[in-house]
C-alpha cells in the first residue's frame, strides 16, 4: 500500500481495488489479499445431433405407368421412358413423368375459369417466357415438355395473382407440394391426347388424332378426370397479348387474348 500512497498508521477507510483483489476491512487494520479464486472448468457440451433431413412432400422413387396414381395424388398422364426431359423452375432437373391434378382440385367442383393475366399485364410479354412469334406453327416440340414450371413462375412473378390461370395453378398444393404449374402448349396437348385415349405424340396435335369426333375422359385412368368440354389455358404465350389454349372438345389448339377466361388444370413434372 505504500506504493499507493497510503500510510500504515491511522487507516480508517479502505477502498476496494478490484484490480489487485483488495476489499475493505475494519478500521485500523491492513487490507489482506483475497484468496485466489478457484476456477472450475465446465464440462464441454456434447455437440447437437444434426437435424434429420425433411422428408419430401410426396415421394417419387417408384416406377409409374400412364393412368396410375402419381406420387402427389394426381394421375400420371405422360411417361418419358428414355433419358427424360429438363424440368424444374430453372430447368436444372431431369424428369420422366407428368402428373395432372384430379378433378375437384380447386373447389371440389369442376375446373375453374381464369384470366391469363391481370389487366395491367394483358398487353405485355412476360419477362422470362419466350413467346411464340405470331404467324408461326404450333409449339408441339420436345423442348416445351417440362417448361411449364419455369413459365408459370415467370407469369406469377410479373404480378399475376390467383385470378389468373398460372397463379391459380401455382397456388395449388396437392400432396403437400408446391411444384404444380400451368402446362405449356405441348404439355397440354399430351394431356388432351391422354384424355381422349389416343397414342401420345409430342409433335402431333390432339385434333388430328381424331379428337374432333372423340369423347372426353376415356383414356387410361382418365374416366374420373373430369375435364370439361371447352378451352383450357396453357402457360405458352402467342405474341404479347395472347396466350395459347386448347379446346378439349375437339383437340384444336389456338390462342386467345389474355383478358379471356378459360378452364385451368395444374400439372407437375417429376
Amino acid at each position: 500500500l505504500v506504493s499507493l500512497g497510503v500510510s500504515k498508521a491511522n487507516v480508517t477507510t479502505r477502498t476496494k481495488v478490484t484490480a489487485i483483489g483488495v476489499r475493505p476491512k475494519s478500521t485500523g487494520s491492513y487490507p489482506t489479499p483475497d484468496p485466489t479464486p478457484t476456477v472450475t472448468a465446465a464440462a464441454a457440451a456434447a455437440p447437437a445431433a444434426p437435424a434429420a433431413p425433411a422428408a419430401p412432400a410426396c415421394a417419387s422413387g417408384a416406377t409409374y405407368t400412364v393412368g396410375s396414381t402419381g406420387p402427389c395424388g394426381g394421375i400420371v398422364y405422360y411417361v418419358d421412358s428414355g433419358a427424360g426431359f429438363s424440368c424444374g423452375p430453372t430447368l436444372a432437373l431431369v424428369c420422366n413423368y407428368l402428373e395432372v391434378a384430379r378433378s375437384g382440385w380447386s373447389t371440389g367442383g369442376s375446373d375453374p375459369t381464369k384470366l391469363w393475366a391481370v389487366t395491367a399485364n394483358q398487353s405485355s410479354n412476360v419477362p422470362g417466357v419466350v413467346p411464340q412469334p405470331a404467324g408461326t406453327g404450333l409449339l408441339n416440340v420436345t423442348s416445351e415438355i417440362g417448361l411449364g414450371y419455369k413459365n408459370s413462375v415467370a407469369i406469377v412473378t410479373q404480378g399475376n395473382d390467383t385470378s389468373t390461370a398460372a397463379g391459380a395453378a401455382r397456388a395449388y398444393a396437392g400432396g403437400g407440394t408446391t411444384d404444380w404449374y400451368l402446362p405449356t402448349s405441348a404439355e397440354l396437348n399430351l394431356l388432351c391426347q391422354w384424355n381422349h385415349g389416343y397414342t401420345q405424340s409430342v409433335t402431333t396435335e390432339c385434333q388430328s388424332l381424331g379428337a374432333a369426333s372423340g369423347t372426353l375422359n376415356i383414356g387410361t385412368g382418365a374416366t374420373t378426370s373430369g375435364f370439361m368440354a371447352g378451352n383450357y389455358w396453357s402457360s405458352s404465350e402467342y405474341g404479347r397479348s395472347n396466350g395459347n389454349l386448347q379446346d378439349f372438345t375437339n383437340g384444336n389448339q389456338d390462342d386467345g387474348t389474355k383478358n379471356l377466361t378459360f378452364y385451368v388444370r395444374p400439372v407437375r413434372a417429376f
Side-chain angles (χ1 to χ4, degrees), residues 126-155:
V126 177
V129 174
V130 179
Q132 176 185 351
T136 60
L138 298 170
L139 293 179
N140 293 328
V141 292
T142 55
S143 61
E144 291 285 304
I145 306 302
L147 183 61
Y149 194 168
K150 181 176 182 291
N151 280 1
S152 297
V153 169
I155 293 168

Side-chain angles (χ1 to χ4, degrees), residues 9-20:
N10 299 321
V11 178
T12 59
T13 304
R14 300 298 180 189
T15 301
K16 180 181 179 182
V17 185
T18 57
I20 57 174

